[in-house]
Amino acid sequence: MNIPTFLSAQKGGDKSQEWIVMEDFYNRKLWHQLTLELVNYVKIKPQAPGHLSELYNTFLSDFDHRISSLALSTIGLIVAEDVAVAQRIAFLEALLKKVDKHPEAKIKIMAKIGSLKIDHGQVEEVEEVIKTLEGLVDSLGEVTPVHGCFYELSAKYYKVKGDYNSFYRDSLRYLGCIDLDELTPKHQQEHAFHIGLSALLGDKVYNFGELLAHPLLEALRVACPWIVELLLAFNRGDMNKLEQLQPQWSQQPDLARNEVALKQKCALLGLMELTFNKLPPLALSHLPR
């Protein structure tokens, strides 16, 4: 299908007004205005299966070199969801070549490729992707929206690898880069559950303050209130509460397998709480001269 035929077909549909505007911008070569319209258009849901792929292959590919790499990456990532799963990585790899000179666009697409490879069981390949992305992210200097793409991928990678400490760290970094409203209530609950587990199971996680203060915790109170109680118990090193909650947490396989380590960690946190918050300060006058 050529472009005039494609545009004519779109103007006969239920989004005819949008396509009349986009056709005008295309004919007048107003690429910036056309890009803004396209970004808004591809975000409209639901779209008929195959429509976005056709839009990209028939229409956008004619002028994709004329629009900004960041906008192209945004559009391309949405279009990728309409591409057959078996072809999705190849589509994104081809898109990556078109934005290779733009670090932020490159990070977004590489992060998505890495995520898909994890889904396909190609976990070991993702380690190199993360190393490359880490260098690109560091080169940006200040925190940008694409940092969230990187931390989302790295957290997913560490979750699959069973690295609780790194998963906890990068999950919190990811949450610090996004607006929580971007996640559906279900995704908020899932994130909160897994971050809560990693806080409990991470052998280097002894500070729960950032998680306990995060708005995401409200989602966990709805989905799994006993984990919130357990986190609060660990935060103050409350062994009695840990024992009281054992009927609930012992049903969770990861926690049940690590019962001894959990009790040791809670006891240590209790000792830290006693040492730093309950013992009276030592007066300097009592020190030997």
Side-chain angles (χ1 to χ4, degrees):
M1 183 185 296
N2 59 32
I3 291 178
T5 304
F6 173 78
L7 291 173
S8 178
Q10 304 315 308
K11 289 187 293 181
D14 59 350
K15 299 184 180 71
S16 60
Q17 188 57 45
E18 290 95 325
W19 280 104
I20 290 171
V21 172
M22 285 192 280
E23 182 181 38
D24 178 56
F25 288 153
Y26 174 75
N27 290 332
R28 293 163 62 194
K29 296 180 171 56
L30 298 175
W31 308 122
H32 176 67
Q33 292 87 337
L34 178 55
T35 300
L36 295 178
E37 287 292 325
L38 278 170
V39 168
N40 290 330
Y41 180 81
V42 298
K43 290 180 178 179
I44 298 173
K45 294 181 179 180
Q47 297 276 10
H51 172 61
L52 292 183
S53 297
E54 184 182 29
L55 181 155
Y56 184 90
N57 293 323
T58 304
F59 184 53
L60 180 56
S61 60
D62 180 65
F63 57 89
D64 58 7
H65 59 290
R66 299 183 182 275
I67 68 178
S68 78
S69 294
L70 200 55
L72 180 59
S73 67
T74 298
I75 295 170
L77 285 168
I78 296 173
V79 171
E81 299 300 317
D82 190 46
V83 175
V85 174
Q87 301 168 8
R88 202 167 289 172
I89 291 178
F91 171 82
L92 290 171
E93 287 175 339
L95 181 63
L96 182 62
K97 294 177 182 177
K98 297 182 179 183
V99 303
D100 191 59
K101 303 298 183 184
H102 193 291
E104 292 181 51
K106 190 174 180 179
I107 289 167
K108 289 170 63 176
I109 296 171
M110 286 185 68
K112 184 61 177 179
I113 291 172
S115 180
L116 289 171
K117 286 188 173 183
I118 291 174
D119 294 341
H120 294 171
Q122 301 167 335
V123 179
E124 299 311 317
E125 294 181 26
V126 179
E127 184 175 0
E128 284 303 315
V129 175
I130 289 176
K131 288 179 180 178
T132 302
L133 284 174
E134 194 166 19
L136 288 171
V137 167
D138 290 343
S139 72
L140 297 178
E142 62 183 14
V143 176
T144 70
V146 301
H147 279 68
C149 301
F150 168 64
Y151 291 129
E152 182 179 23
L153 171 65
S154 58
K156 184 175 183 176
Y157 171 76
Y158 290 126
K159 178 183 173 185
V160 171
K161 297 292 286 185
D163 185 338
Y164 301 116
N165 300 306
S166 298
F167 172 77
Y168 179 75
R169 178 197 65 211
D170 284 358
S171 291
L172 289 178
R173 288 175 175 175
Y174 165 64
L175 291 174
C177 296
I178 66 167
D179 183 342
L180 198 55
D181 291 336
E182 294 175 21
L183 302 177
T184 65
K186 180 181 179 182
H187 285 154
Q188 288 185 29
Q189 291 171 4
E190 290 174 353
H191 275 292
F193 179 78
H194 291 294
I195 294 171
L197 281 185
S198 66
L200 296 167
L201 293 168
D203 60 5
K204 296 179 182 177
V205 180
Y206 287 95
N207 187 338
F208 294 70
E210 186 175 357
L211 176 58
L212 292 174
H214 200 284
L216 186 71
L217 204 68
E218 293 307 311
L220 194 54
R221 291 184 193 278
V222 174
C224 200
W226 64 263
I227 286 194
V228 178
E229 291 186 58
L230 193 58
L231 287 167
L232 292 169
F234 267 72
N235 192 52
R236 59 179 182 266
D238 188 340
M239 290 295 294
N240 290 331
K241 190 66 175 178
L242 176 65
E243 297 291 344
Q244 290 174 18
L245 292 169
Q246 186 159 355
Q248 287 95 341
W249 63 257
S250 62
Q251 299 302 308
Q252 207 291 322
D254 293 316
L255 296 178
R257 280 196 302 269
N258 290 277
E259 178 180 349
V260 174
L262 284 172
K263 291 182 176 180
Q264 289 174 342
K265 181 173 178 175
C266 190
L268 181 56
L269 285 165
L271 180 60
M272 292 167 62
E273 173 75 8
L274 179 66
T275 302
F276 293 112
N277 295 324
K278 295 186 178 180
L279 291 179
L282 182 63
L284 291 178
S285 60
H286 293 166
L287 294 175
R289 295 183 182 275

